[in-house]
Amino acid sequence: MKLFLYKSVALLIVVAILFKLLDVLAVSGLSNLKDDDYKDLDLLYNNKIDDELLILGSSRAWNHFDIKVIEEQTGIKSRVIGLSGADFNMQRALWEQALSSENDVKYIVHVVGALEFSRREDGIFKKYKFFPYFNNQYVYSNLSNIQPDLWKDKYVPLYKFHGNYKYFLKGIKSKFKPNTSSLYTKYKGYRGFEDVWDGEIKVDSKVISQDDISLATSFIREEAQLANEKGKVLIIVYAPEFSQTNAIFKGKQTILNKLESVASENDNVYFFNYSEWEGNTDVKLFHNATHLNAVGAKIFSQSFVKDMIEVLDINN
């Protein structure tokens, strides 16, 4: 009986070691990828950012801000890191890293909107992007606020790949055949949508709770304080949205008032409010109700540059 128990324990140990080894190999392989899913986060979390202007936020960061337009007209190196579906906890994982690490960034642009102020209740969107970074304190602490049992993904071998088998195989393949899947289609984080919207609004009516607004505002105040401590300038941008969303997002005006208040309280913080941007009524500039297409992004980026140049003039 004892021999059977010993053999059983030994087998379990061997299996655990094998699972752990496979987990480490897959995660290491993902960290080697330099494709659309992983390159931008690799630069951020491994302190490789050498740009002076860094734009952070949700999907509207990576498809609203045409980096070529911004660099050509401001003359400063710029980059965008946007996470699709990112609420304020996911976004906080970005800006805490950007502000806490040593880099060349002088200007942090934080892109927000009404939906980003609403806490996700469906888990971490596209969680696989963070698999290589669960040991990062800013990633783990903030994503745990979305998924309290994230410790299972971090500590239980292969658990994170449940439902994400594609990325397990992708990581293993990358580990043994480097650069086979490293297709990067963005330009320094930016990629615009090429289509033109048909005008049909598919976004559900959304009430942004006062609790979520208060918590997100508190986070942004912490961001402003940290930016001040690090000697960086923070620009909060309320991104363009199609005008009819004003009647859909309840709490939008409260958010705008809160952001204006944060900017007025801090000398190093500016608020660019594009909730009433002139292009917000033009369907031809949009991919959907909350995202610009490539044409809209180019036009909007020119508006952003005009405001940004004023900030550059003040701080140079």
Side-chain angles (χ1 to χ4, degrees):
M1 183 65 179
K2 287 185 178 180
L3 180 60
F4 172 76
L5 290 175
Y6 290 151
K7 288 183 177 181
S8 298
V9 170
L11 179 61
L12 289 174
I13 292 173
V14 170
V15 170
I17 293 173
L18 177 61
F19 279 18
K20 180 63 177 178
L21 177 61
L22 289 172
D23 188 279
V24 170
L25 289 174
V27 170
S28 178
L30 292 177
S31 68
N32 291 335
L33 290 174
K34 302 297 182 286
D35 59 9
D36 285 345
D37 282 329
Y38 293 100
K39 180 177 179 178
D40 298 324
L41 294 182
D42 170 70
L43 294 174
L44 178 65
Y45 291 116
N46 289 304
N47 300 320
K48 300 176 183 177
I49 301 291
D50 60 357
D51 300 275
E52 190 175 358
L53 172 65
L54 179 60
I55 302 168
L56 303 171
S58 67
S59 56
R60 287 188 287 180
W62 65 255
N63 61 58
H64 273 43
F65 292 82
D66 189 323
I67 296 299
K68 288 185 179 179
V69 171
I70 294 170
E71 288 189 323
E72 288 171 0
Q73 297 188 17
T74 64
I76 63 175
K77 293 177 64 178
S78 306
R79 179 175 296 278
V80 58
I81 299 179
L83 290 174
S84 296
D87 67 0
F88 50 76
N89 282 308
M90 290 179 69
Q91 293 194 23
R92 189 176 183 180
L94 298 179
W95 62 253
E96 281 192 325
Q97 173 69 28
L99 287 169
S100 299
S101 60
E102 295 299 325
N103 53 48
D104 296 329
V105 176
K106 182 176 180 181
Y107 302 95
I108 296 279
V109 175
H110 186 174
V111 184
V112 300
L115 292 179
E116 288 91 333
F117 266 66
S118 181
R119 190 181 340 213
R120 293 196 71 97
E121 297 178 353
D122 56 352
I124 303 165
F125 191 64
K126 296 187 176 180
K127 183 170 60 175
Y128 57 83
K129 291 187 176 185
F130 292 100
F131 288 171
Y133 311 110
F134 281 159
N135 287 327
N136 180 285
Q137 60 177 316
Y138 307 118
V139 170
Y140 186 73
S141 62
N142 287 296
L143 297 194
S144 294
N145 289 327
I146 303 174
Q147 181 184 322
D149 66 348
L150 191 65
W151 62 269
K152 296 177 183 177
D153 294 278
K154 182 177 180 180
Y155 295 110
V156 179
L158 299 183
Y159 185 87
K160 64 176 68 67
F161 291 106
H162 178 70
N164 290 287
Y165 303 115
K166 170 184 175 181
Y167 292 92
F168 170 75
L169 297 175
K170 192 173 183 179
I172 294 293
K173 182 179 179 181
S174 173
K175 187 64 179 176
F176 292 102
K177 291 185 178 181
N179 301 320
T180 56
S181 303
S182 297
L183 180 62
Y184 189 72
T185 64
K186 300 177 182 178
Y187 176 76
K188 301 187 74 172
Y190 165 75
R191 186 177 70 244
F193 294 114
E194 297 300 331
D195 59 334
V196 176
W197 183 38
D198 62 7
E200 182 182 358
I201 296 180
K202 298 179 181 179
V203 181
D204 295 331
S205 179
K206 179 73 174 181
V207 177
I208 315 300
S209 75
Q210 291 301 311
D211 287 345
D212 280 355
I213 292 175
S214 295
L215 183 56
T217 304
S218 177
F219 283 178
I220 292 176
R221 283 198 167 94
E222 292 178 21
E223 181 183 21
Q225 181 179 349
L226 183 56
N228 183 55
E229 292 172 359
K230 297 294 183 177
K232 301 183 188 296
V233 176
L234 175 64
I235 300 98
I236 306 169
V237 172
Y238 192 96
E241 298 165 335
F242 190 62
S243 57
Q244 291 185 22
T245 60
N246 291 337
I248 296 176
F249 300 145
K250 310 298 182 181
K252 182 173 180 177
Q253 189 57 51
T254 301
I255 291 171
L256 294 172
N257 293 340
K258 293 285 187 181
L259 296 175
E260 185 66 50
S261 177
V262 172
S264 66
E265 295 166 1
N266 297 272
D267 293 336
N268 67 314
V269 179
Y270 299 85
F271 177 41
F272 296 175
N273 180 6
Y274 298 109
S275 64
E276 300 296 333
W277 179 56
E278 58 189 8
N280 285 352
T281 59
D282 191 346
V283 172
K284 295 190 298 295
L285 301 183
F286 282 83
H287 164 75
N288 58 32
T290 57
H291 295 80
L292 296 171
N293 58 29
V295 173
K298 180 168 288 190
I299 295 172
F300 163 67
S301 295
Q302 292 168 352
S303 297
F304 169 76
V305 163
K306 290 179 182 178
D307 294 327
M308 191 66 212
I309 287 175
E310 293 184 15
V311 174
L312 297 174
D313 289 341
I314 292 172
N315 290 274
N316 287 325

